[in-house]
Amino acid sequence: MFPKPKSALVPNTYAYESEPMVKATGFREYDARWLFGKEINLMGIQALGMGLGVLISELGARQEIVTGHDFRGYSASIKYALISGLLASGCKVHDIGLCVTPMAYFAQFDLDVPCVAMVTASHNDNGWTGVKMGANRPLTFGPDEMTRLKEIVLNSQFRNKVGGSYQFHENFPARYIADLTNRPKLKRKLKVVVACGNGTAGAFAPQVMEAIGCEVIPLDTNLDYTFPKYNPNPEDMEMLHAIRDAVLQHKADVGLGFDGDGDRCGVVDNTGEEIFADKVGVMLARDMSAIHKDAQFVVDVKSTGLFVTDPVLQKQGARTTYWKTGHSYMKRRTHELGALAGFEKSGHFFFNKPFGRGYDDGLVSAIAVCDMLDRAPGKSMADLKNALPKTWSSPTMSPHCEDEAKYGIVDKVVKHFEAVQSRGEKVAGQPIRDLVTVNGVRVTAEDGSWGLIRASSNKPELVVVVESPVSEQRMRDMFEAMDSVLRTHPEVGEYNQKI
C-alpha cells in the first residue's frame, strides 16, 4: 500500500524521500496550488495522481486523461510524478508535453478524452506549482470535486489497479495552432505587441497572432523559467507598464499580454493606457451583442457595473448576470446559462459558440480583440475604450492573509456590512444601495460607487476592488471604507499593490 500523506516533512531527510507530503490547504476551491518542496513533495504529487484516478472513477467518467505542463524549472518532474500516480490508478494518460493550459482543454475535444490534469501554477510566482483538473469538458472542478479529492488523497483512499497506459502526442501544439488560425485573415493591418513575460505562451502566441494577419512586435517571448523581468501576470502593473512602453515605442495598435499558462490576456491601448479586463469585456460585449441579438453574458463580482448600466448594451438587448469569481465557477455558470460569453476581471474570458468551446483561452481572447478592431476600421482601441461611460476603477489589490484565516475574516466582513445595512448606516458617506454576497461582499453605495472584499481562491490573500462612476475621489473613498474594515483584523497584512 501507499503511505498516508503527512502534512509536513523536513527536506533533505530520509522521511522526505520516503513518504508523501501534502499540505491540506493546497486543495483550493477549484484547483490545487502548493509551494513545491515546502508544502508538497514528488511522492505527494504521486498521491494526488492516484487520488485523481479514484475520483474520475467515482464521477463515472472514462479513466482517460490529457496531461501537459507549463514552463517552469520543476513542472516536467511534477507532471511525471502525477502521471505515475494516474497510471497506478488505471488511467490511460495522453501527454501533450509543454503547453499552455487552454491547449490541454483543446486536447480533450481534439483527442476525444473526457478528463484533464494540467500541471501549472498559472500566474503564481516561481516556487508554486499546481494542477487544473476536470472530468466533464469544457468544465473544470469546483468545490465539491476538490473537497472529495482532498478527502481521498489525505486519507489515502487509493484503489490502484492494472490497466493504466501512456501515450505521448508528438507535435501536438501544431494541431492547436491550426485550430486557432484556420480562419480568414484580418482585413485591417494591425501592429500588435505580444508580451509573454518569458512564460509558456511565448512558444505559441507570436505565431498565432502572425497567422491571423497581425504584424507582431514580440516582447519577452523567449522562454526563461527564471522570469528575469517580472512574473507573467497581466493584472500586475509591472507587466502592463512594460507593454505600454513597447506600444508607445513601436506605435502599435494594441498591446496583448499573456499570463504564465496562457489562459488570460491583458490589453493596453494604442496610447499606452492599460484597459482592465472587465472594461475589455464591456467592449467585447458591445461588439458581440451588435452581431448576436439578445446576447447573454456572465461576469464576476470583481467586474465593472457598466455591464448593467451601459446604454449601448441596454439598447442592443444584452443581459448580464454577476457570478462568483474563479475560472471554474465562471466557466460552469456561462455553460449552464448558455451565455454567449463570460468575462472575469482577472482576464479569464469564456466564449461559447460561435466564438469558442466554453473554456478560457488567452489567445481566443486576443483574437476576439483583433476581430473587434477589424469590425471598427476607423476606430482605434483608445476610441473604443473612450466610447464607454467613464468610471474610475482600481486594479485588483491583494492584502496578505493566511489560507487558514482568510475565509473566517471574509465571513466577519460580510456580517459587518450586513449589520451596517440593517441599521441604515452609511458607507463612504452614503447609504448602501445594494449588497451582493454570492462571493465575499460587494457593497454598492447610492451613487453607484462600489467596493468588493473576497478571499483569493488560489493564494494566501484577500482580494479588494473598488470602482466609481462619479469620480476618482469617490473611488478612493470606497477604498478607504473597505480598508478601514480590514484594518480591524490584525491577520490582514500588506497589499501587493494599491491605488
Side-chain angles (χ1 to χ4, degrees):
M1 293 299 291
F2 199 79
K4 189 173 179 178
K6 300 282 198 305
S7 60
L9 290 169
V10 178
N12 198 21
T13 62
Y14 177 83
Y16 189 86
E17 294 296 317
S18 308
E19 298 178 77
M21 173 179 67
V22 183
K23 190 180 178 188
T25 53
F27 295 92
R28 312 278 166 162
E29 289 179 45
Y30 45 80
D31 57 22
R33 306 272 173 103
W34 291 274
L35 279 165
F36 181 51
K38 293 180 182 174
E39 299 178 346
I40 197 164
N41 61 2
L42 287 174
M43 279 188 78
I45 296 286
Q46 192 178 359
L48 179 69
M50 292 192 295
L52 179 55
V54 172
L55 179 60
I56 288 167
S57 268
E58 286 186 0
L59 293 172
R62 193 167 84 242
Q63 275 195 297
E64 202 165 334
I65 191 163
V66 168
T67 186
H69 69 281
D70 68 4
F71 193 76
R72 294 173 189 257
Y74 43 83
S75 289
S77 60
I78 286 166
K79 182 183 73 175
Y80 290 122
L82 183 75
I83 287 170
S84 72
L86 289 165
L87 292 173
S89 72
C91 286
K92 179 174 183 181
V93 177
H94 296 265
D95 184 359
I96 61 171
L98 178 70
C99 64
V100 286
T101 295
M103 196 186 298
Y105 299 151
F106 164 73
Q108 289 177 271
F109 288 87
D110 193 57
L111 301 174
D112 189 23
V113 174
C115 306
V116 67
M118 173 68 192
V119 172
T120 178
S122 188
H123 64 276
N124 286 27
D125 299 325
N126 256 334
W128 286 90
T129 191
V131 188
K132 291 180 177 177
M133 296 162 277
N136 179 23
R137 65 190 181 214
L139 307 181
T140 39
F141 286 168
D144 291 347
E145 295 94 341
M146 289 307 299
T147 300
R148 177 61 186 139
L149 180 61
K150 176 180 175 179
E151 195 176 71
I152 294 167
V153 173
L154 297 184
N155 295 313
S156 200
Q157 297 173 355
F158 308 124
R159 296 196 295 272
N160 290 351
K161 58 190 180 195
V162 296
S165 65
Y166 173 85
Q167 182 177 355
F168 183 81
H169 292 268
E170 199 174 355
N171 300 324
F172 188 79
R175 294 162 71 160
Y176 168 71
I177 290 167
D179 182 70
L180 287 173
T181 58
N182 183 19
R183 43 156 286 153
K185 278 195 167 29
L186 298 167
K187 293 187 279 295
R188 181 175 177 179
K189 191 67 181 170
L190 293 174
K191 186 187 283 192
V192 178
V193 171
V194 173
C196 301
N198 305 108
T200 324
F204 315 109
Q207 193 178 337
V208 168
M209 300 316 291
E210 272 180 3
I212 68 163
C214 296
E215 178 188 345
V216 169
I217 309 295
L219 179 66
D220 304 321
T221 56
N222 58 308
L223 300 189
D224 184 341
Y225 50 58
T226 66
F227 302 147
K229 301 283 185 65
Y230 44 76
N231 196 41
N233 180 6
E235 269 194 298
D236 285 356
M237 301 311 289
E238 197 174 357
M239 184 173 191
L240 291 167
H241 288 163
I243 300 171
R244 171 197 66 197
D245 295 344
V247 165
L248 294 175
Q249 180 189 342
H250 295 280
K251 296 184 170 57
D253 295 295
V254 67
L256 303 169
F258 299 92
D259 70 337
D261 69 331
D263 57 11
R264 293 188 295 133
C265 177
V267 179
V268 172
D269 73 17
N270 51 297
T271 70
E273 188 173 319
E274 63 274 355
I275 313 176
F276 294 135
D278 54 346
K279 297 281 181 72
V280 176
V282 176
M283 294 159 70
L284 289 171
R286 279 181 161 195
D287 178 57
M288 293 161 71
S289 61
I291 305 166
H292 296 272
K293 193 172 159 50
D294 299 327
Q296 186 167 4
F297 301 103
V298 178
V299 301
D300 77 316
V301 292
K302 292 197 296 182
S303 291
T304 176
L306 286 177
F307 282 102
V308 172
T309 60
D310 177 48
V312 173
L313 289 179
Q314 289 177 343
K315 186 183 172 189
Q316 290 173 180
R319 291 165 297 132
T320 301
T321 301
Y322 282 83
W323 195 242
K324 298 176 184 179
T325 292
H327 67 87
S328 280
Y329 294 132
M330 286 290 296
K331 210 173 324 198
R332 192 173 295 266
R333 193 67 175 158
T334 305
H335 180 74
E336 284 169 354
L337 295 179
L340 193 59
F343 302 111
E344 197 179 2
K345 187 178 168 71
S346 66
H348 286 280
F349 290 172
F350 313 88
F351 295 99
N352 278 323
K353 288 178 180 174
F355 300 95
R357 295 184 180 84
Y359 54 78
D360 36 339
D361 186 335
L363 280 162
V364 172
S365 303
I367 291 167
V369 168
C370 293
D371 282 338
M372 174 176 67
L373 286 166
D374 206 37
R375 284 191 280 267
K379 292 182 178 170
S380 69
M381 196 73 190
D383 291 336
L384 295 175
K385 176 201 70 188
N386 293 335
L388 299 179
K390 176 74 174 165
T391 71
W392 288 261
S393 52
S394 74
T396 300
M397 302 172 286
S398 300
H400 184 82
C401 190
E402 291 298 335
D403 286 319
E404 294 83 353
K406 65 188 183 186
Y407 292 104
I409 298 289
V410 169
D411 286 343
K412 289 174 185 172
V413 171
V414 171
K415 287 186 174 66
H416 166 83
F417 283 110
E418 285 174 339
V420 168
Q421 184 183 40
S422 68
R423 293 193 296 262
E425 295 172 5
K426 294 180 177 179
V427 171
Q430 293 198 0
I432 293 174
R433 187 180 83 195
D434 186 38
L435 275 187
V436 176
T437 57
V438 71
N439 185 207
V441 62
R442 177 168 165 149
V443 186
T444 304
E446 206 161 58
D447 66 359
S449 303
W450 61 267
L452 169 81
I453 296 172
R454 58 177 286 273
S456 168
S457 304
N458 47 38
K459 286 176 96 172
E461 57 194 29
L462 303 179
V463 172
V464 180
V465 181
V466 290
E467 181 186 53
S468 174
V470 179
S471 66
E472 181 180 345
Q473 186 54 53
R474 286 294 296 148
M475 173 188 76
R476 292 183 180 277
D477 291 347
M478 286 305 292
F479 175 68
E480 290 305 322
M482 298 292 109
D483 187 55
S484 64
V485 175
L486 290 180
R487 291 304 132 205
T488 64
H489 299 281
E491 302 95 328
V492 180
E494 289 301 307
Y495 285 81
N496 65 334
Q497 58 185 359
K498 283 168 108 172
I499 51 175

